[in-house]
Amino acid sequence: MTRFKGLQELFKRYRRPGDVVFAWVFLLFSVFLLTQLDTQSPWKQGGKIFSQPAFWPTVSIYLMVFFSALHLLSSVLSPRLHGRWGEVWQWVRTLEYAGWFMAYVLSVPVAGYLPCTVVFAVLLALRAGYRQLGTLAGAAVMGVVIVVAFKAFLQVKIPGGAVYEYLPTGLRAFMLTYF
């Protein structure tokens, strides 16, 4: 049987160096959502409070503000950890992949699903540090497999690229259907 060691031991937690930055960002985001409640979640005249469209969003956002304020308070009162900005830089670096995804999404309607998937698979393999020809060829083959699986077998409806309009009629129909 373990002995109770006090509240401080009970609520002890592992902290990351960027914890205080995350706490600030989350609190600011929560307060922003709180300022938007009146315009986004309507309160209807009459009716029970629990059936109001705005009740649960209001409860959740108020709790979000409360708990994010507690998180910030606990982070500020905790000993300072070194390496905060290195941790934050890691978070910012991950946004690069959101940029890759947006570039992919914007290029598919222009160049087509097959060419974009193959090109981006190879580019992301290069970005990840792979340089061997076999690995890059494997990424290209995987791109083709993904396209065939999604378009031919799963029949996911993805619009064809504008470049497909320049293909001969028979080939254009085949590419629009399967690639």
Side-chain angles (χ1 to χ4, degrees):
M1 185 163 149
T2 61
R3 295 173 57 197
F4 180 69
K5 297 180 182 180
L7 285 176
Q8 205 143 30
E9 185 65 28
L10 181 65
F11 291 107
K12 188 176 181 180
R13 65 186 175 99
Y14 173 72
R15 290 187 48 235
R16 304 286 301 180
D19 188 39
V20 74
V21 176
F22 176 81
W24 270 111
V25 169
F26 202 79
L27 178 62
L28 291 173
F29 179 67
S30 302
V31 169
F32 168 74
L33 290 177
L34 184 63
T35 65
Q36 302 303 306
L37 264 177
D38 291 337
T39 61
Q40 300 298 317
S41 294
W43 286 93
K44 302 287 183 186
Q45 292 294 338
K48 298 178 183 175
I49 191 164
F50 292 113
S51 63
Q52 290 286 334
F55 177 74
W56 291 112
T58 301
V59 168
S60 63
I61 291 177
Y62 271 98
L63 287 174
M64 192 170 152
V65 169
F66 175 72
F67 286 116
S68 63
L70 286 180
H71 180 202
L72 177 62
L73 182 65
S74 72
S75 295
V76 168
L77 294 178
S78 297
R80 186 175 189 275
L81 296 174
H82 296 288
R84 174 184 304 156
W85 295 113
E87 179 81 14
V88 171
W89 180 244
Q90 281 292 109
W91 301 342
V92 171
R93 287 179 50 197
T94 62
L95 296 176
E96 173 195 353
Y97 292 97
W100 280 98
F101 178 71
M102 291 308 300
Y104 173 75
V105 167
L106 293 173
S107 64
V108 167
V110 176
Y113 186 42
L114 177 65
C116 286
T117 303
V118 171
V119 167
F120 274 87
V122 171
L123 288 175
L124 283 171
L126 285 167
R127 173 60 184 96
Y130 296 102
R131 300 288 185 264
Q132 294 178 338
L133 190 58
T135 305
L136 297 176
V141 168
M142 195 66 218
V144 172
V145 168
I146 288 170
V147 169
V148 170
F150 274 79
K151 288 285 277 191
F153 296 121
L154 297 175
Q155 296 180 351
V156 175
K157 304 295 184 218
I158 297 172
V163 75
Y164 290 177
E165 296 300 320
Y166 297 105
L167 296 174
T169 306
L171 183 58
R172 181 175 59 233
F174 178 78
M175 291 296 286
L176 288 171
T177 304
Y178 297 107
F179 299 106

